[in-house]
Amino acid sequence: MLKPSVSTSDNLRILKLSLFDQLAPHDPLISIDCNDEGVEYVQTKVNADDLPEFRHRQANDIESSLLDLILPVMVHMPSSPLLGVQVNVFNNGGIAIGIKISHNIADAFTIATFVNEWAHTCLTGTISTHNYLPSFGQLSSLFPARLMLQLPSPSTPGPENIIVTRRFVFDALAIEKLRKTIKDDSTTTDDDDMIKQPSRVVVMMSLIWKVLTHISSAKNGNSRNSSLGFAINFRGKLSCVPSLEHALGNYVTIAIANMEADGARKDQLNDFVKFVGNTVRDTCVAIGKASSIDDISSLTVNNWKICVEKLLQEDKMDGYITSSWCKLPWYEADFGWGKPFWVSRVGFNDIEGAFLMDTKDGNGIQLIVCLKEKNMTEFEKHLDNLSSTPIVG
């Protein structure tokens, strides 16, 4: 356990959680006791020359359990550390750093900020100087947790529905080819650039949804209502509280794209791009128009309720979750050995869904996909048909 060099002052001992922390997927807590017990640090020696060799040796393991080996083992208990680090040293001197942090206190922006601040301190021996000071506690003072708020949680899959994780990489060329398959819709206005010229993230989320919908239709013998939920970062989008651009903690909302099984043919990528693009645009517009803290709180709670309710209707409809960690500075973290050659999130084997992360060059996208095993087999078959899409096993 690595303890802080300076004790926490009494006035900072209790870190209250915000509404967004309360809604993040985790075991619920009301506050954090900053008791200076420290963080868990583990160093291992890996009997392999490098990470690719290690992965090759473990080829029979599913991807998620493989990467679990280079992560710290943390028990989810109220008294457990909120942060754990495992530094894995390979025979050739290469290093893989595995990090686990409680979702009670951190979203992707927070993790990326922490890792880069930590790396900068290691590299230079000094704390970085910004025109802002990243800190916790800002969000809870404006958006306090609601003690009476209770949201149902999706059930954990049984043994017959074990969820597995796979990785797929789309380079810039593959993404551009997908863009070219998106047909122009004459009903789209000139202002809808998000739909006419969709971003990499919108294209990839739409592709994931399209493939999963096709798999569902084939399995059920008919199309079903379908929803795709995805996280949208509040930072930089709120005109009513612009000072929170660098706030640490959880600071996202969920947007939900919906598709009705109305008999109309919806199997082209541009159909899904339109649904996803419209949802991103409408949600961002609603965030930008919010004039008060209450507006943001209501939007967040309502969206989470809708998302969870849809996920709980799995016997009647299909619900999927995606989250983009793109455009965050994962590949800028230099601890003194150079910048990383690969950064990845480990699978979340609770519900079916996907994470999107940048490739090292910043132009491609790595998909971390979690699906029931039978669905994963079909998903891989669909992506194999995209010949320019290399698959990372």
Side-chain angles (χ1 to χ4, degrees), residues 178-245:
L178 285 171
R179 277 200 181 107
K180 289 180 179 178
T181 68
I182 300 171
K183 301 174 183 177
D184 185 23
D185 188 337
S186 58
T187 63
T188 303
T189 67
D190 291 339
D191 294 331
D192 292 335
D193 289 338
M194 187 173 292
I195 301 170
K196 284 191 171 184
Q197 298 177 324
S199 67
R200 295 176 303 142
V201 170
V202 168
V203 169
M204 295 311 302
M205 288 197 301
S206 301
L207 176 66
I208 293 166
W209 195 15
K210 173 183 180 293
V211 173
L212 293 176
T213 300
H214 181 90
I215 293 172
S216 172
S217 297
K219 180 173 64 176
N220 293 293
N222 60 275
S223 61
R224 307 206 306 175
N225 291 347
S226 182
S227 293
L228 182 74
F230 46 89
I232 291 185
N233 186 3
F234 276 126
R235 297 172 181 87
K237 297 183 178 69
L238 280 174
S239 57
C240 56
V241 277
S243 61
L244 298 178
E245 185 175 356

Side-chain angles (χ1 to χ4, degrees), residues 135-168:
S135 63
F136 290 93
Q138 293 172 287
L139 292 170
S140 59
S141 63
L142 294 172
F143 301 94
R146 300 182 180 184
L147 298 181
M148 300 304 296
L149 180 65
Q150 294 290 332
L151 293 181
S153 300
S155 58
T156 302
E160 72 282 0
N161 291 316
I162 293 176
I163 293 177
V164 298
T165 301
R166 296 288 185 271
R167 280 165 177 74
F168 309 88

Side-chain angles (χ1 to χ4, degrees), residues 40 42-48 51 53-74 85-90 96-100 167 346-347:
E40 182 178 288
V42 178
Q43 183 167 318
T44 73
K45 179 69 176 176
V46 184
N47 187 22
L51 185 58
E53 182 192 337
F54 174 68
R55 295 177 66 192
H56 178 71
R57 287 186 184 183
Q58 306 289 332
N60 292 328
D61 285 353
I62 62 172
E63 188 75 9
S64 57
S65 59
L66 165 63
L67 290 184
D68 277 343
L69 297 176
I70 61 174
L71 288 172
V73 177
M74 295 175 64
V85 174
Q86 183 168 313
V87 177
N88 306 274
V89 182
F90 293 86
I97 302 177
I99 300 170
K100 278 188 179 180
R167 280 165 177 74
V346 174

Side-chain angles (χ1 to χ4, degrees), residues 29-46:
L29 298 174
I30 300 306
S31 62
I32 302 296
D33 180 11
C34 304
N35 56 17
D36 295 338
E37 286 299 311
V39 301
E40 182 178 288
Y41 177 87
V42 178
Q43 183 167 318
T44 73
K45 179 69 176 176
V46 184

